[in-house]
Amino acid sequence: MSTTSGRARRSGAQTRDEIRRVAMRLFTERGFDATSTRDIAADLGINQSSLYYHFKSKDEIVASLMQSRREEVEEFVTWLKAQPRTPDLLRTAALRWLDATTEEHIHAQRLALGSQAASQRRFRGGENSVPVAFEEVIAHFVDKDTPPEEALYVRTLFNAVGSVIMATFGRETAPADILAAARRVVMAMTSYEGGSGGREES
Amino acid sequence: MSTTSGRARRSGAQTRDEIRRVAMRLFTERGFDATSTRDIAADLGINQSSLYYHFKSKDEIVASLMQSRREEVEEFVTWLKAQPRTPDLLRTAALRWLDATTEEHIHAQRLALGSQAASQRRFRGGENSVPVAFEEVIAHFVDKDTPPEEALYVRTLFNAVGSVIMATFGRETAPADILAAARRVVMAMTSYEGGSGGREES
DNA sequence: GTCTATACTGTGATAGAC
DNA sequence: GTCTATCACAGTATAGAC
């Protein structure tokens, strides 16, 4: 919704926040590397060099995009350390963290995941890419009547290895450990029969 | 192991496969965008332009890297379609797919996940990045005696949203659905008490 | 099959007028 | 606060000698 294909809108009076908003959207859609400062400026309807009045560098833009989320992590850590060590703390903490995730956080995370769209576009490209081929697997368990979040659940299940890899976050991890963890994830996700997913009002 | 910091080895007689091997390693380590053709050539000890004798373009290199995985997906689909629709087919299929994942596949997937190392390096960078801050959360549930795959499990749990986002793979998905699916994942992963993870010999 | 040399393009960033 | 103009450089890719 809103300005779907908005480019070159007005000129003048850009604020830091407007730049941040556009940059977030473009970084999310195309990835950081694939988004040039010219792209950002063009979308705002201003000149590329004008960005440098508001930000010292392209890196500073992305850094400012990440800042708020970081502060929330610190608050979460503070809360966590104040909790008694009960057996269900793991679940409680995980759910609390999840509930603190807003829509904007999801955008930020998409960005932080690392140029998702950008590189994936490269690998999707053809008809004969892995993701396209994998759609048949998903289709085997999901049809048009499947609730969206359930379809997503199935997708996530078959991407268990990917989920674990993402969680390693660049640290060196033995492939055997990745596979072992992924196996646990698969077992857990196919054992759970939590009805509609256990949504609770808070 | 092997040649950890190997650059500029010998000259001449490079095969397509050697280029593929080096490219895979560098793409995985640094990401596609952050790896130049010069980097690849330098690691092989040849000139940048020599790559173009073997491959038409940089994109063709990465495309050739993805091909074998794609064929396996197709085989998997064939198998899947031949299965009877039993209630536990989802688990069976997910485990089968998982078991077909080799070490090399993990490298390929790291690459396909999209410049993981590259962009994440940008977001890690400072002391005050989100991932660094989040280490405290992990440390609250994991110590040095925790088995690696269990530690990975915890990391994956707290990255449930990220896992779901990754699984959406660029398709437009409502944030509410992402959160709903992530909630299911968290519930499932914190309900399962599968002992050591249910490793079975095949 | 590899080299040297170079064209071409796109990028982040700066200087200075308005 | 935005513009024009431009720089410096890195990247992919090509031409042609050896």
Side-chain angles (χ1 to χ4, degrees):
Chain A
M1 328 79 212
S2 71
T3 58
T4 305
S5 61
R7 68 185 63 145
R9 278 180 277 188
R10 62 201 161 295
S11 51
Q14 300 303 334
T15 68
R16 245 180 101 96
D17 278 345
E18 272 190 275
I19 294 171
R20 280 167 44 103
R21 231 195 49 246
V22 169
M24 171 70 90
R25 204 189 73 240
L26 294 185
F27 287 158
T28 302
E29 287 174 7
R30 320 178 184 179
F32 180 83
D33 286 327
T35 304
S36 70
T37 53
R38 281 180 174 81
D39 292 334
I40 299 170
D43 198 281
L44 287 161
I46 64 174
N47 191 283
Q48 175 257 351
S49 63
S50 301
L51 294 176
Y52 288 82
Y53 174 81
H54 301 278
F55 292 91
K56 213 180 62 194
S57 68
K58 190 185 176 190
D59 276 344
E60 198 194 278
I61 298 178
V62 78
S64 94
L65 252 28
M66 289 295 132
Q67 181 140 24
S68 63
R69 187 57 162 173
R70 194 193 135 251
E71 287 160 6
E72 289 173 81
V73 174
E74 286 169 2
E75 286 171 27
F76 180 66
V77 168
T78 303
W79 171 85
L80 185 60
K81 286 183 173 172
Q83 296 312 112
R85 283 204 172 269
T86 56
D88 64 333
L89 178 58
L90 183 63
R91 164 181 282 184
T92 307
L95 283 178
R96 185 187 173 93
W97 179 245
L98 180 65
D99 285 336
T101 303
T102 68
E103 184 159 342
E104 185 171 349
H105 291 145
I106 290 180
H107 289 304
Q109 187 151 357
R110 276 211 180 102
L111 169 55
L113 285 187
S115 313
Q116 204 195 23
S119 53
Q120 287 184 356
R121 198 152 294 148
R122 212 180 327 267
F123 300 123
R124 298 184 87 182
E127 303 296 308
N128 41 8
S129 64
V130 173
V132 169
F134 212 85
E135 282 306 304
E136 282 204 71
V137 175
I138 305 301
H140 202 260
F141 296 102
V142 166
D143 59 36
K144 63 177 174 51
D145 296 326
T146 309
E149 91 271 10
E150 198 170 311
L152 264 183
Y153 190 87
V154 173
R155 286 181 187 278
T156 307
L157 171 64
F158 277 100
N159 194 35
V161 172
S163 297
V164 175
I165 287 175
M166 200 201 314
T168 65
F169 213 71
R171 71 186 58 230
E172 283 188 43
T173 309
D177 292 331
I178 290 175
L179 291 175
R183 174 171 287 269
R184 281 203 195 193
V185 172
V186 168
M187 293 301 290
M189 286 182 67
T190 53
S191 295
Y192 182 60
E193 289 297 339
S196 65
R199 168 120 236 157
E200 307 149 19
E201 55 272 45
S202 53
Chain B
M1 327 74 209
S2 71
T3 58
T4 307
S5 61
R7 69 185 64 147
R9 278 179 276 188
R10 62 204 163 293
S11 50
Q14 300 303 333
T15 68
R16 245 179 103 95
D17 278 344
E18 272 190 275
I19 295 171
R20 280 166 44 102
R21 232 193 49 245
V22 169
M24 171 70 89
R25 205 187 74 239
L26 294 184
F27 287 158
T28 302
E29 287 173 7
R30 320 178 184 179
F32 180 83
D33 287 326
T35 304
S36 71
T37 53
R38 280 184 174 83
D39 293 335
I40 299 170
D43 198 280
L44 287 161
I46 65 175
N47 191 284
Q48 175 258 351
S49 64
S50 301
L51 294 177
Y52 288 81
Y53 174 81
H54 302 277
F55 292 91
K56 213 181 62 194
S57 68
K58 189 186 176 188
D59 276 344
E60 198 195 278
I61 297 179
V62 79
S64 93
L65 252 29
M66 290 294 132
Q67 181 139 23
S68 63
R69 187 57 163 173
R70 193 192 135 252
E71 287 160 6
E72 289 172 81
V73 174
E74 285 169 3
E75 286 171 27
F76 180 66
V77 168
T78 303
W79 171 86
L80 185 60
K81 286 183 172 172
Q83 295 313 110
R85 282 204 172 269
T86 56
D88 63 334
L89 178 59
L90 183 63
R91 165 181 282 185
T92 307
L95 284 178
R96 185 187 173 92
W97 178 245
L98 180 65
D99 285 336
T101 304
T102 69
E103 184 160 341
E104 186 171 348
H105 291 144
I106 289 180
H107 288 304
Q109 186 151 358
R110 275 212 180 101
L111 169 54
L113 285 187
S115 313
Q116 207 196 21
S119 54
Q120 288 184 355
R121 197 152 296 147
R122 207 174 338 260
F123 301 123
R124 299 183 86 182
E127 303 298 306
N128 40 8
S129 63
V130 173
V132 169
F134 211 84
E135 282 306 304
E136 281 202 72
V137 175
I138 305 302
H140 202 260
F141 295 101
V142 166
D143 60 37
K144 62 177 174 52
D145 297 325
T146 309
E149 90 272 9
E150 197 171 312
L152 264 184
Y153 190 87
V154 172
R155 286 181 187 279
T156 306
L157 170 65
F158 277 100
N159 193 34
V161 172
S163 297
V164 176
I165 288 175
M166 199 199 316
T168 65
F169 214 70
R171 72 187 57 230
E172 283 189 42
T173 309
D177 292 332
I178 291 175
L179 291 175
R183 174 171 287 269
R184 281 203 195 193
V185 172
V186 168
M187 293 301 289
M189 286 183 68
T190 53
S191 295
Y192 183 60
E193 288 297 337
S196 65
R199 168 121 234 156
E200 306 148 20
E201 55 273 44
S202 53

